[in-house]
Amino acid sequence: IGLRLRRAAGAVEIQVTDRGIGISLEEQARVFEKFYRSPTRENELLPGTGLGLTLVEHVARAHGGRVSVESHLGEGSAFSIHIPLEGGA
């Protein structure tokens, strides 16, 4: 797991990366949906409710921000939270 914090385009970006199994493009469109869990064998073996990324998105939006994901199968994923800086500084 990697963690990066940087300033970008009047916002702060918090990025969490992994070198896991990755997420298909089709699944990426759904990972922030409430109660959604990718139907993979790996996920069937792990406990969870499918609320974690939904909550992350909710908190980001509550602060005027957004979340994004970039992932490639077999290469891992990068989840980013973008929160605007006060005054766009």
Side-chain angles (χ1 to χ4, degrees), residues 3-52:
L3 180 63
R4 182 172 78 171
L5 175 65
R6 69 183 184 122
R7 189 182 294 208
V12 64
E13 177 187 26
I14 304 163
Q15 185 178 70
V16 179
T17 59
D18 68 46
R19 294 187 183 122
I21 62 171
I23 305 167
S24 71
L25 193 55
E26 296 81 20
E27 297 292 320
Q28 290 176 42
R30 301 195 62 198
V31 294
F32 298 104
E33 290 178 16
K34 190 185 299 185
F35 301 118
Y36 182 77
R37 295 191 67 201
S38 182
T40 64
R41 178 167 160 70
E42 292 84 355
N43 278 346
E44 291 174 6
L45 301 173
L46 298 171
T49 60
L51 287 175

Side-chain angles (χ1 to χ4, degrees), residues 4-15 60 63-68 79-86 88-89:
R4 182 172 78 171
L5 175 65
R6 69 183 184 122
R7 189 182 294 208
V12 64
E13 177 187 26
I14 304 163
Q15 185 178 70
H63 288 87
R66 62 185 178 83
V67 295
S68 62
F79 291 89
S80 298
I81 304 167
H82 308 267
I83 306 290
L85 291 169
E86 211 172 300

